[in-house]
Amino acid sequence: MLNTEILDKVNILGLNSEKLRDIFSVTGLKKFNADQVYDWLHNKLVFDFDKFTNISKKDRELLKKNFYLPTLEYKTHQISDDGDTEKFLFELKDGKLIESVLISHKNRHTLCISSQIGCLLGCDFCATATMRYERNLDVSEILIQFYFVQNYLKKYGKKLDNSVFMGMGEPFLNYDNVIEAVNILNSHKGQNFSKRNFTISTSGIIPGINKFTENENQINLAISLHSVKDDIRTEIMPINKKYKVKELKKALVNYQKKTKNRITFEYILIDDLNCEAEDASELADFLRSFSCMVNLIPYNKVIGKPYKTPSNKKQRNFYSLLKEKNVNVTLRETKGQDIAAACGQLKVQKEMENGK
C-alpha cells in the first residue's frame, strides 16, 4: 500500500494505471481522473497538465501540486545520407546524455532504446564501453524515448512498428525498470504496443535470462554472442569470465524449452578475430541446439578501438558457410556510419566536444 504522506512531487509518467489510481485516492483526485490522465500521457502523448481539457482547472492544479513530468531535452538529431537511420541525443533532468536510434526499412520503423547511462560490462568493441557507467534509467526515462520518437513519426503519418533494447546499457542489469516500461507500453489504455514487437538484447546475464524465462513468454530475446570460443568471447566481452559459453547455452536451451520462442543471435563480424571458416563451423555447431535466427553485423568503427571491419568478400564467405550448414542467417547492411549510429558514439562525440 502506498504511503499516504507525499513529501515530494511524484514522477507521474513512471506509474502504471493501477499505481496511478492508488496514489490519486490520497491526493484529493478521483480514481476516474487517473484513467483520464493515463490516457493523456500514454495514449495521446500529451505532457502538459494544462492541456488535459477534460479535467477541471481545480484538479489540474492538484496535479501540478502533487506530480511532475520528467523532462527530456532534445539536443541533436542526425539523419544518415540514405535516410534510413536517425540518431537522437537527449539530455535528462540531471544533465546526463542518452541516445536512441530510429531505423526505417520498407516503411517499417524500429526504435533502438537505451536502458542505462553508460554500461558496466566493458565489451571492448562497443562505444558505450568507453564511457563511465553512471546509473540505470528509470521507467519514465525509458518510456519518454519511445514517446518522443512516436510523436516525431506521427507528424509524418507514421508510427513505430518495433522496439529493441539494444541501445546504451545492459537491459538485464536494469531488469525491473525495462519490463515495467514494456508493460506500460503494452497496456491497452496506452500505446497497446504488442509485447511480440519488443526485443530485449542481453550480453549473457544468466540470472536475468532465468528470470525472463520464468516470467515472460511474449517479449523476444536476443543474445549478443559474437563468438562461441570462450577465449575470444572473454577477450571482447568480459562478462564471459563470469558466464561462460557452456553456461549461457544451458540457460538458453532452458529458455527455449519453456517458452518455445525463437532466439535471435547477434554476431558482430570483426576482421582477424571471429569471422574465419573455423569460427563459422563452431558457430553452426553451437546453433544446432536452437530454433533461431542469426544476424551478422559488420563491425561499425568506434573511435579509439583497434578493430577492423572485414572485407565484403569475407563477410559474404562467412554468411555462405553458415547457409551451407542450414543456419537461418542474415547479413545486415551496415547503416548509419556517417552519423555515428553505433550505440554510444554520438554521446561520446558530444562529450568530447564539451571537454568532458
Side-chain angles (χ1 to χ4, degrees):
M1 187 67 184
L2 289 164
N3 192 324
T4 57
E5 184 179 5
I6 299 174
L7 300 176
D8 298 306
K9 289 187 178 182
V10 175
N11 179 351
I12 198 170
L13 193 62
L15 301 175
N16 62 36
S17 58
E18 182 178 346
K19 289 179 181 176
L20 193 59
R21 284 194 299 271
D22 285 346
I23 204 168
F24 267 37
S25 68
V26 297
T27 56
L29 290 155
K30 299 176 181 65
K31 285 193 175 183
F32 75 83
N33 290 140
D35 292 332
Q36 294 172 316
V37 169
Y38 196 90
D39 181 65
W40 282 107
L41 295 176
H42 300 285
N43 179 31
K44 295 184 175 71
L45 305 186
V46 174
F47 306 112
D48 182 344
F49 293 141
D50 286 324
K51 293 181 179 178
F52 295 0
T53 53
N54 60 344
I55 298 173
S56 70
K57 184 176 180 180
K58 176 186 173 184
D59 288 340
R60 292 201 299 269
E61 291 304 313
L62 280 173
L63 279 174
K64 295 176 192 177
K65 178 182 176 182
N66 291 289
F67 302 98
Y68 75 92
L69 283 161
T71 58
L72 184 76
E73 184 180 347
Y74 158 80
K75 301 295 288 185
T76 302
H77 176 210
Q78 296 182 347
I79 304 176
S80 63
D81 289 340
D82 61 13
D84 289 345
T85 305
E86 301 183 53
K87 189 90 174 239
F88 301 87
L89 184 71
F90 302 115
E91 184 176 310
L92 303 173
K93 60 182 179 293
D94 58 1
K96 307 300 184 186
L97 299 176
I98 61 170
E99 51 190 69
S100 311
V101 180
L102 174 64
I103 302 168
S104 301
H105 180 65
K106 295 182 179 178
N107 207 34
R108 293 189 64 81
H109 307 286
T110 298
L111 180 64
C112 186
I113 300 174
S114 293
S115 57
Q116 296 179 309
I117 303 171
C119 184
L120 287 165
L121 297 188
C123 296
D124 198 46
F125 53 83
C126 178
T128 306
T130 66
M131 63 185 74
R132 182 177 77 256
Y133 168 79
E134 298 183 72
R135 63 176 175 84
N136 285 335
L137 297 182
D138 65 31
V139 173
S140 68
E141 290 167 334
I142 295 170
L143 289 173
I144 208 165
Q145 295 174 69
F146 185 103
Y147 292 160
F148 183 97
V149 177
Q150 190 77 301
N151 269 333
Y152 167 76
L153 286 172
K154 192 187 298 185
K155 293 184 294 186
Y156 304 99
K158 302 173 183 178
K159 64 179 181 178
L160 288 169
D161 298 287
N162 298 287
S163 289
V164 296
F165 286 89
M166 296 182 184
M168 292 164 52
E170 165 54 59
F172 278 172
L173 292 182
N174 190 15
Y175 185 97
D176 291 342
N177 287 347
V178 167
I179 297 299
E180 180 69 352
V182 170
N183 286 335
I184 289 174
L185 290 167
N186 176 242
S187 169
H188 70 279
K189 296 179 181 180
Q191 291 294 290
N192 197 24
F193 202 82
S194 172
K195 284 191 174 185
R196 293 292 184 190
N197 292 338
F198 285 99
T199 299
I200 295 179
S201 177
T202 177
S203 297
I205 307 296
I206 290 178
I209 294 170
N210 292 341
K211 188 174 182 180
F212 193 71
T213 299
E214 294 302 318
N215 299 322
E216 294 292 337
N217 60 9
Q218 294 185 62
I219 304 170
N220 299 300
L221 179 64
I223 304 297
S224 294
L225 189 60
H226 315 314
S227 181
V228 295
K229 298 177 179 178
D230 272 322
D231 57 341
I232 298 298
R233 195 165 192 268
T234 297
E235 179 182 342
I236 58 175
M237 301 180 71
I239 191 63
N240 198 72
K241 295 176 184 177
K242 187 171 186 178
Y243 305 120
K244 297 195 179 298
V245 171
K246 185 177 180 180
E247 298 170 66
L248 176 60
K249 183 176 183 178
K250 182 179 178 181
L252 294 175
V253 167
N254 182 55
Y255 165 80
Q256 194 151 74
K257 181 180 178 182
K258 289 202 170 187
T259 67
K260 307 296 188 284
N261 292 339
R262 186 175 69 171
I263 299 170
T264 298
F265 290 97
E266 306 285 344
Y267 194 101
I268 293 177
L269 297 171
I270 303 174
D271 200 26
D272 299 325
L273 186 72
N274 68 348
C275 51
E276 304 301 328
E278 178 186 344
D279 299 300
S281 179
E282 292 191 22
L283 176 59
D285 288 342
F286 175 89
L287 296 172
R288 286 197 182 97
S289 300
F290 302 105
S291 169
C292 64
M293 179 176 70
V294 178
N295 282 333
L296 300 179
I297 309 164
Y299 176 68
N300 199 341
K301 182 67 178 173
V302 174
I303 298 169
K305 294 296 181 181
Y307 304 111
K308 298 181 295 182
T309 307
S311 66
N312 289 339
K313 180 180 179 182
K314 205 167 190 177
Q315 295 173 32
R316 296 298 305 179
N317 285 344
F318 195 87
Y319 169 84
S320 297
L321 287 169
L322 293 177
K323 290 291 285 186
E324 289 169 9
K325 294 180 180 293
N326 298 313
V327 173
N328 182 11
V329 59
T330 62
L331 177 59
R332 188 181 298 175
E333 180 184 350
T334 302
K335 289 182 175 289
Q337 285 186 316
D338 55 311
I339 60 166
C343 299
Q345 288 199 51
L346 189 54
K347 180 179 186 293
V348 170
Q349 285 187 3
K350 191 70 172 179
E351 289 180 343
M352 288 174 67
E353 290 169 9
N354 294 339
K356 291 186 178 181

